Amino acid sequence: MNKFAKTLLLMTFMGQVIMAQNILNNPGSNHGNKFEQLGGILSTPNEQRTASGAPGVKYWQQRANYNINCELDEKTLTLKGSETITYFNNSPDVLTYVWLQLDENEHNNLKNANYQSASVMPTTSNNILMDTNLESNRPDDNGAGINIISITDSLGKKLKYTINKTMMRVEIPQLKSGQHCVFNVDWNYKITNRIAGGGRGGYEFFPNEKNYIFTMSQWYPRLCVYSDFQGWQNHQFTGRGEFALTFGDFNVKMTVPANHVITSTGECTNYNTVLTPAQLTRYQKAQTAIEPIEVVTLAEAKLSEQNITEAKKTWIYKANNVRDFAWGSSPKFVWDAMAQSIKGKKVMCMSFYGKEAYGLYRKFSTRAVAHTIKTYSDFTIAYPYPVAQSVEAASGMEYPMICFNYGRALADGTYSENTKNGMLGVVIHEVGHNFFPMIINSDERQWSWMDEGLNTFVQYLTEELWDNKFPSKRGPAYTIVDYMKLPKDELEPIMSNSENIVNFGPNAYSKPATGLNILRETIMGRELFDYAFKEYAKRWAFKHPTPADFFRTMEDASGEDLDWFWRGWFYGTDSCDIALESVKFAKADYITFTVEDKKDKKNRIDKPEVNTFEDISKVRNRTSNDLKFYTDTDLEARDFYWKYARGLVEIDTTLALKNMPVPSILPMDEFTAEEKEKYSSKFFYELNFTNKGGLVMPIIVEFTFKDGTKLIDRIPAQIWRLNESKTSKFYVHDKEIASIKIDPMLETSDIDVKNNVWGAETVEPSKLQMFKARAGTALTRGQSVGQNPMQLQ
């Protein structure tokens, strides 16, 4: 045997001994279900959704086109509208009714989806009261919510409808697969003060100028999703879980006061009639600009605020293949624009904002819009729409091609660094929502993480590429630690319904974004992750993906089995707390065997263990002489252990000594002088790890040697396969180790770094610990309890 083979044999056997010791020392705890496949937890693959995570050959989805005319009355703060909906049934099913969302009813005290209120009751097109006693006890209506005036078919015949809180069922003639129907809905509602009463849409009032910024979202009755995996998604809108919507084409006419400027989903088709000649010229110049150009200037916006008029203007917009439509209207808007090329296609990036936000938005907003769609296009698919817009509205909410954001300067036009970074973060996040869920159209009401989490992850990448020192709040692994160390009864799995989550921000935004970042940086690597993530975006662009489609695609496109990660990070609430329990250190010590040593060695060899218990199956299958089933040739093929268990052979300790190496002693006569000298200079370490948090994760070990050099070993999470509680790894180094640290770059969201170190390595105290230390020192100098310890520095 050459020395390489001897060395390999020695190290392999020692590793096997450590693994065997772990199993023996932890009987019954060596294997749970953390590495089992998700199996039946995921939906069963079919012809609509394949086991690879891709849409199947029979994938289908519905479609709804809208023609809407609406008018905003600034005096009465009302919006009225008429819409014609063309609904296409691409499903294999026959439909006799359709469901529409009436999200404005969230603001009504009688029609909202407050499940605690016994006063909420369905209403029908015939105004039938279902319980007169209940009706008499109802409080007064606050007047908010949408009023349905009429619903008719294409010939003007009335259709029966029923309103249940924020949902409306419209009964239609039988609609077979491949057919479409057309119906009309007339409606109006009182626009709410979203600053005072909350909500995503409404108005903000500016008392000094006595004018408004209107953000019109969830403003029209719109179709629910009817899908292959759920049927109708008609879960009530409570204000938390957002939207599931059907793709379609929109033609919308918005009539507003003549001094208003409108920003909207889609492209305006009549700029030549609503803009001044100077504004139209600037807009045309912006078509090729690489820096933002003011289409409506600050001076013009200030003048419009003062120019109160009774006149009206109608703005006409068209948007194709979008799932929703939103718009904003105000006399306050400054409007700047520039062009951004995306894969050879021009996209107009634009911002709309009042003078209150001019100091920030004029400098950063449109540039951030352009940077965002370019970066997201690199990580997903090319941005497909002609426009991307950011609107300052003291809020944060997203819609196709338009989003409402916050970030206002001080009265003198200055701003703090925190305000600037907060504004940039929300612009990037909300513009990024064009991809998740506006294009990759997941069900927000059921799975908030599929849009918020994925979007927050790419937001983090985009912020890094905007400014490598950007103070991102979500994405890095260490930022989720405080949430993950909470007590278990304060946590929910990511795979929870939107309405059932207590800590919504960390659960739906931060934890999934962090998980994806860990996959990319620590588990899969950037090349594999980026390819698979982009494949998911390509597969499910303009479709309705589910969590199973995402999980399966990420594995299918990367060749990585990630079920253990989905199970722990998305379906569980365990935390990562890997402790470096102990470190064993040794130097090679060669012993020359004497004859007596070898006798003692023979006596230490154990006989093969024989299981004396036989279960009922074995008893029933066994005959009086089980050897009769085997021929002499068969017996020759049987190994020693099979024969020993049946009493056919006795153990030969001399043979065992010859063929069974004992790793605790290295016989001198088996190594050359050169080999003995080589091993004598080695340093042997056994590292023992404990999984205290329960979440299996990779173990990242940083060795610092006494000469100051460092070495990092990245151990895959699969080291926990055979024992999810404890594991060990054996190392041979050329230099002596001074200290060891687990997860030195804080990549795994380990909640307790104090148990991650060994040797001279120390854990840096937290800011709170340093504060307490300073406070304690100050008190020992005679400080009274009421004093501020920071004043003594």
Side-chain angles (χ1 to χ4, degrees):
M1 180 183 294
N2 60 39
K3 63 181 180 180
F4 173 78
K6 292 178 183 177
T7 304
L8 182 62
L9 175 63
L10 172 66
M11 297 180 67
T12 300
F13 192 84
M14 294 182 77
Q16 291 172 341
V17 169
I18 291 172
M19 182 180 295
Q21 287 174 341
N22 286 335
I23 296 174
L24 291 173
N25 293 336
N26 299 277
S29 66
N30 62 299
H31 185 69
N33 70 339
K34 298 183 188 300
F35 285 93
E36 292 302 316
Q37 297 297 288
L38 290 177
I41 294 176
L42 300 182
S43 57
T44 303
N46 52 46
E47 292 181 304
Q48 287 78 40
R49 297 166 190 273
T50 69
S52 70
V57 293
K58 292 187 178 180
Y59 176 83
W60 57 267
Q61 64 188 38
Q62 310 290 67
R63 188 172 184 84
N65 294 340
Y66 300 81
N67 283 297
I68 307 176
N69 292 308
C70 65
E71 182 173 348
L72 188 155
D73 189 323
E74 194 171 29
K75 285 187 176 181
T76 62
L77 296 175
T78 57
L79 184 72
K80 65 178 181 180
S82 298
E83 63 188 84
T84 298
I85 303 173
T86 304
Y87 185 71
F88 297 86
N89 182 16
N90 298 320
S91 78
D93 308 323
V94 175
L95 303 179
T96 57
Y97 53 80
V98 295
W99 282 96
L100 285 81
Q101 304 179 58
L102 305 180
D103 304 289
E104 273 300 314
N105 283 353
E106 172 201 5
H107 303 294
N108 184 278
N109 60 320
L110 303 180
K111 302 174 186 175
N112 65 50
N114 181 1
Y115 288 98
Q116 302 301 318
S117 173
S119 64
V120 177
M121 60 182 296
T123 59
T124 73
S125 54
N126 297 322
N127 295 319
I128 298 173
L129 298 180
M130 301 180 65
D131 187 328
T132 55
N133 292 327
L134 181 61
E135 174 66 12
S136 65
N137 294 325
R138 298 174 80 189
D140 293 337
D141 193 314
N142 66 3
I146 196 162
N147 302 305
I148 301 298
I149 307 304
S150 69
I151 301 180
T152 61
D153 65 14
S154 58
L155 300 177
K157 180 181 177 181
K158 288 187 177 181
L159 297 175
K160 185 178 180 181
Y161 64 91
T162 299
I163 298 174
N164 179 20
K165 306 182 184 79
T166 63
M167 292 290 165
M168 178 171 68
R169 185 185 67 233
V170 178
E171 298 177 34
I172 59 174
Q174 189 178 78
L175 188 64
K176 296 180 180 179
S177 178
Q179 294 181 337
H180 69 273
C181 67
V182 179
F183 59 99
N184 309 296
V185 185
D186 294 338
W187 48 267
N188 64 56
Y189 69 88
K190 178 182 177 181
I191 304 171
T192 58
N193 184 334
R194 61 177 175 79
I195 302 299
R200 291 162 175 78
Y203 67 81
E204 178 182 4
F205 179 62
F206 294 82
N208 291 338
E209 296 86 4
K210 293 183 171 53
N211 56 23
Y212 303 85
I213 290 179
F214 293 93
T215 53
M216 310 311 296
S217 57
Q218 295 89 247
W219 57 280
Y220 62 98
R222 51 193 185 158
L223 263 295
C224 297
V225 169
Y226 184 78
S227 67
D228 62 284
F229 63 90
Q230 183 168 255
W232 285 108
Q233 168 50 297
N234 52 13
H235 296 172
Q236 297 290 336
F237 177 50
T238 67
R240 161 68 70 79
E242 289 176 343
F243 312 109
L245 297 162
T246 302
F247 285 110
D249 298 336
F250 286 75
N251 289 284
V252 183
K253 296 179 180 179
M254 295 156 281
T255 301
V256 298
N259 65 333
H260 279 217
V261 169
I262 279 186
T263 169
S264 174
T265 295
E267 291 182 290
C268 183
T269 61
N270 68 330
Y271 276 153
N272 59 330
T273 63
V274 294
L275 299 181
T276 67
Q279 291 167 347
L280 185 60
T281 298
R282 294 182 208 128
Y283 178 73
Q284 291 168 344
K285 184 179 179 181
Q287 300 284 316
T288 56
I290 59 174
E291 296 289 335
I293 291 176
E294 288 186 14
V295 177
V296 175
T297 66
L298 177 62
E300 289 172 332
K302 290 180 177 179
L303 186 61
S304 292
E305 288 190 86
Q306 302 168 8
N307 184 24
I308 300 174
T309 176
E310 297 290 329
K312 301 278 188 177
K313 281 184 181 179
T314 298
W315 299 61
I316 305 173
Y317 276 78
K318 181 177 182 179
N320 292 330
N321 210 19
V322 293
R323 72 172 215 158
D324 200 3
F325 192 101
W327 53 287
S329 183
S330 179
K332 302 178 69 67
F333 282 150
V334 177
W335 168 13
D336 69 47
M338 64 177 281
Q340 172 66 55
S341 178
I342 302 294
K343 311 297 184 184
K345 176 184 175 183
K346 179 183 69 179
V347 177
M348 289 305 298
C349 301
M350 305 190 289
S351 295
F352 296 77
Y353 44 92
K355 62 181 181 295
E356 296 80 6
Y358 189 87
L360 267 173
Y361 270 65
R362 183 65 180 91
K363 291 181 180 179
F364 299 113
S365 178
T366 298
R367 291 178 174 88
V369 172
H371 171 73
T372 300
I373 62 170
K374 181 180 184 301
T375 305
Y376 273 68
S377 296
D378 291 338
F379 285 107
T380 59
I381 64 167
Y383 184 74
Y385 294 129
V387 176
Q389 300 162 92
S390 165
V391 183
E392 198 290 314
S395 65
M397 190 58 199
E398 69 279 357
Y399 303 92
M401 299 184 237
I402 185 173
C403 58
F404 304 115
N405 309 307
Y406 86 91
R408 293 175 183 171
L410 300 175
D412 62 0
T414 62
Y415 51 84
S416 69
E417 184 75 0
N418 284 342
T419 300
K420 181 194 78 172
N421 289 331
M423 168 261 183
L424 286 169
V426 75
V427 170
I428 291 171
H429 181 89
E430 305 303 347
V431 172
H433 270 305
N434 276 290
F435 295 83
F436 308 99
M438 303 304 155
I439 298 169
I440 296 95
N441 188 10
S442 58
D443 181 351
E444 298 178 88
R445 189 147 304 170
Q446 178 63 35
W447 309 116
S448 289
W449 70 267
M450 286 196 74
D451 74 292
E452 298 296 358
L454 271 62
N455 183 49
T456 301
F457 164 66
V458 188
Q459 173 194 349
Y460 170 58
L461 303 180
T462 304
E463 288 170 348
E464 281 192 317
L465 293 173
W466 172 273
D467 177 0
N468 188 248
K469 299 295 184 181
F470 193 89
S472 297
K473 304 297 185 184
R474 293 164 170 161
Y478 66 87
T479 61
I480 197 65
V481 166
D482 287 343
Y483 171 68
M484 295 189 72
K485 66 169 57 172
L486 289 174
K488 285 291 186 69
D489 60 0
E490 296 181 32
L491 299 173
E492 303 92 5
I494 292 174
M495 292 292 291
S496 298
N497 181 276
S498 302
E499 314 295 346
N500 303 334
I501 301 170
V502 176
N503 293 290
F504 190 71
N507 182 284
Y509 293 69
S510 305
K511 189 179 178 184
T514 300
L516 297 180
N517 193 45
I518 291 173
L519 282 177
R520 185 173 189 258
E521 299 290 356
T522 304
I523 295 173
M524 299 173 67
R526 292 186 174 187
E527 183 177 357
L528 283 177
F529 179 93
D530 290 351
Y531 182 91
F533 193 74
K534 179 171 283 198
E535 181 66 19
Y536 167 72
K538 289 192 296 185
R539 285 179 174 183
W540 290 100
F542 300 103
K543 295 181 177 68
H544 301 291
T546 66
D549 301 318
F550 175 69
F551 296 152
R552 286 168 169 157
T553 295
M554 290 300 293
E555 297 190 19
D556 180 72
S558 68
E560 287 287 327
D561 179 4
L562 300 172
D563 278 20
W564 63 271
F565 185 79
W566 311 131
R567 182 184 291 277
W569 195 269
F570 282 79
Y571 285 90
T573 58
D574 285 344
S575 60
C576 175
D577 182 8
I578 300 173
L580 181 54
E581 196 70 25
S582 65
V583 177
K584 296 179 181 179
F585 163 69
K587 290 277 292 179
D589 184 12
Y590 296 94
I591 301 172
T592 302
F593 280 139
T594 65
V595 175
E596 293 302 318
D597 289 330
K598 293 184 179 180
K599 288 181 180 179
D600 290 341
K601 183 178 177 183
K602 285 192 291 184
N603 294 334
R604 291 199 305 270
I605 297 175
D606 296 326
K607 296 182 179 180
E609 181 180 352
V610 179
N611 186 5
T612 58
F613 173 78
E614 292 182 314
D615 62 31
I616 188 65
S617 177
K618 288 182 172 58
V619 171
R620 287 176 175 171
N621 288 337
R622 180 169 47 81
T623 65
S624 58
N625 183 8
D626 59 359
L627 297 182
K628 73 178 183 180
F629 294 105
Y630 303 96
T631 65
D632 292 340
T633 304
D634 293 326
L635 287 173
E636 289 298 320
R638 293 291 177 175
D639 64 10
F640 165 79
Y641 298 102
W642 188 91
K643 296 176 182 177
Y644 179 81
R646 287 157 179 76
L648 300 180
V649 296
E650 292 293 331
I651 188 167
D652 184 342
T653 55
T654 304
L655 180 64
L657 175 62
K658 180 179 179 182
N659 293 295
M660 298 177 63
V662 179
S664 59
I665 298 174
L666 302 179
M668 184 67 120
D669 52 6
E670 291 189 12
F671 288 86
T672 65
E674 180 182 353
E675 290 170 339
K676 284 184 285 185
E677 181 179 358
K678 176 181 177 181
Y679 288 118
S680 296
S681 64
K682 298 294 183 182
F683 298 85
F684 299 89
Y685 295 89
E686 179 189 310
L687 276 59
N688 298 296
F689 306 99
T690 302
N691 182 2
K692 293 189 172 183
L695 183 68
V696 291
M697 289 290 277
I699 306 174
I700 305 167
V701 184
E702 180 188 71
F703 298 98
T704 300
F705 298 98
K706 287 194 172 181
D707 63 1
T709 59
K710 294 179 181 289
L711 176 69
I712 289 183
D713 181 31
R714 294 179 171 272
I715 309 172
Q718 284 72 16
I719 193 173
W720 303 102
R721 271 189 182 276
L722 299 181
N723 190 324
E724 296 165 3
S725 301
K726 294 184 178 181
T727 191
S728 301
K729 188 170 181 182
F730 180 77
Y731 292 91
V732 180
H733 287 300
D734 294 329
K735 297 178 288 186
E736 188 172 357
I737 293 172
S739 63
I740 301 172
K741 178 188 282 189
I742 298 177
D743 196 14
M745 298 296 293
L746 306 180
E747 298 178 51
T748 63
S749 300
D750 195 309
I751 66 169
D752 184 7
V753 296
K754 296 189 298 296
N755 57 27
N756 287 11
V757 296
W758 174 85
E761 186 69 56
T762 59
V763 181
E764 294 183 4
S766 68
K767 291 182 179 179
L768 179 61
Q769 290 171 328
M770 289 189 289
F771 175 81
K772 288 181 177 179
R774 288 195 297 267
T777 303
L779 285 170
T780 60
R781 297 185 198 140
Q783 176 201 8
S784 67
V785 176
Q787 286 180 308
N788 182 356
M790 301 303 289
Q791 294 174 344
L792 300 178
Q793 292 185 344

